[in-house]
Amino acid sequence: MTTFSKGLEGIVAAETAISYIDGTNGILEYVGIPIGELASKSTFEETVYLLWNQRLPNKGELAAFTSDLRARYSLPAGMLERIAGVPTDAEPMHVLRTMVSALSMYDPNPNENTVEAARDKSLNILAWTPSIVAAFDRGRRGLEPVTPDTSLGFSANFLYMLNDKKPTEAMVRAFDICMITHADHGLNNSTFTARVIISTLSDMYSAITGAIGSLRGPLHGGANEGVMKMLNEIDSVSDAEAYVMGKLERKERIMGFGHRVYKAKDPRATELMTLAKQLADDTGNADLYEKSHAIELIMEREVAAKGIYPNVDFYSATTYHCIGLKLDLFTPMFALSRIAGWSGHVIEQLADNRLFRPTVNYVGPHDAPYIPIDKR
Ligand code: COA
């Protein structure tokens, strides 16, 4: 039995109880709960618990999970020196990928693959990655790293470590919503990468490192940086029409639009659109939102018939900008959140593993003669 599907479109390659996507109707659920419910009512910590346990925690469970995460905020000794040693002009995604790989060397049992060990490693990686990104960003600005504050939640602590200043409630909530909405998304490319790697019974660090490498591509998580670059190229709302039409005529892609699974508006884009508008108004960036919205309307008129709508990356760009993040930190933000989903999928894969090993259609020659080198 062989089926060839370029890009594996339409191929069911795994089973999951973590998230569900209905691409036709624009629905995303984490363990059955619509993303809009979680974005408006949950916290990132609670959402991670949901993804890893496939149920919401009660008060005691959430308090224990949160304090366990906070107790792990500080990086292993030696990691800060390692981060300080990387070139300051390195791309943050390359730094994050390299440093997550390096974390394996500080784990006395990096290859332990029991479900319990995998959960423990996931919690460490989730707790440490914000410190990696913040320490690198401060280092390249000539600033010392900020010691994490265990009295703060995941989102507040990250923004505090980045800026050495306690963030406002509004910024923390906005960042938390970004973390919630990016946490998991079916068998997307990076999650598939993580599952493929762990299916050899490799290790959690290798799986997450590979997933970060996948995520940074402009067709995947790297698109949020592409959206921001596009918004920067458009001087004002009135220029959006000519800009978008020019790109479509040249058959170029508009970043933040289109999706392999969604043929309707990505529900995460709906959540982030509301958030982006509010933040843009509050931070004096209304022009960014207006440009984005103008692009969405032009795209709706031109390509909605082909099922091309805004995806998660479209409005997250404006949101991250308004939170005060530098452009090259946008994709690392996606990674900080998606670590929750990747590790949930690794744990799920380990619990019922079978090696991923597809086949390939060979299209080269057969029985070719071996020509000696001096006759070629
Ligand atoms: N802008 C313009 N046209 C687009 C488009 C975009 N962002 N995304 C897809 N299309 C068009 C393609 O040109 C193609 O048109 P054609 O049939 O006339 O040639 C058609 O839609 C199908 O595209 P295809 O590349 O086969 O779809 P895919 O499922 O392989 O690709 C993405 C999905 C996400 C890679 C693609 O939509 C894309 O490149 N989007 C921009 C990057 C992005 O935002 N990525 C983040 C995803 S969350």
Side-chain angles (χ1 to χ4, degrees), residues 52-295:
W52 289 359
N53 297 279
Q54 277 108 64
R55 64 174 178 82
L56 287 169
N58 63 30
K59 270 189 190 162
E61 287 166 336
L62 182 58
F65 181 73
T66 303
S67 72
D68 195 1
L69 180 69
R70 292 181 185 192
R72 298 169 190 239
Y73 280 167
S74 290
L75 284 165
M79 276 298 291
L80 283 176
E81 289 75 4
R82 195 171 281 281
I83 295 164
V86 306
T88 49
D89 62 353
E91 262 180 51
M93 278 301 275
H94 289 301
V95 176
L96 183 62
R97 188 197 59 235
T98 305
M99 292 302 149
V100 167
S101 182
L103 285 174
S104 63
M105 300 183 290
Y106 297 85
D107 183 334
N109 300 304
N111 305 332
E112 226 184 330
N113 273 337
T114 61
V115 168
E116 213 165 82
R119 278 170 178 267
D120 191 58
K121 291 176 201 312
S122 305
L123 203 56
N124 279 337
I125 298 172
L126 189 77
W128 287 333
T129 40
S131 297
I132 292 172
V133 176
F136 170 69
D137 183 62
R138 289 184 68 77
R140 67 181 175 170
R141 286 185 276 148
L143 301 169
E144 287 298 312
V146 171
T147 306
D149 183 340
T150 54
S151 73
L152 300 176
F154 180 94
S155 296
N157 178 53
F158 170 68
L159 294 174
Y160 166 65
M161 288 193 298
L162 196 66
N163 302 318
D164 195 15
K165 196 170 141 224
K166 295 271 162 73
T168 63
E169 282 291 315
M171 286 301 165
V172 173
R173 185 60 199 150
F175 192 79
D176 221 43
I177 293 172
C178 289
M179 294 296 103
I180 293 167
T181 47
H182 287 78
D184 194 52
H185 205 236
L187 202 60
N188 60 87
N189 192 293
S190 54
T191 301
F192 183 49
T193 302
R195 288 188 82 130
V196 167
I197 292 174
I198 204 65
S199 82
T200 68
L201 300 183
S202 177
D203 63 278
M204 178 66 81
Y205 299 97
S206 297
I208 303 294
T209 301
I212 294 172
S214 152
L215 186 75
R216 68 168 291 279
L219 299 187
H220 192 5
N224 57 14
E225 294 181 16
V227 172
M228 196 66 220
K229 285 179 193 148
M230 170 174 75
L231 293 175
N232 287 337
E233 280 169 12
I234 302 172
D235 288 334
S236 69
V237 181
S238 56
D239 295 326
E241 174 84 23
Y243 181 93
V244 173
M245 292 310 291
K247 271 199 172 283
L248 291 179
E249 272 154 30
R250 294 190 299 274
K251 301 250 174 255
E252 288 171 19
R253 305 235 156 170
I254 307 291
M255 290 291 118
F257 281 83
H259 200 275
R260 177 62 62 77
V261 182
Y262 290 119
K263 300 305 164 203
K265 187 166 175 177
D266 182 334
R268 301 167 299 174
T270 307
E271 295 301 322
L272 292 170
M273 177 178 157
T274 313
L275 184 63
K277 179 168 181 14
Q278 184 65 53
L279 280 179
D281 285 346
D282 294 350
T283 58
N285 286 298
D287 63 315
L288 265 188
Y289 175 80
E290 279 158 21
K291 279 192 263 182
S292 307
H293 194 54
I295 296 171

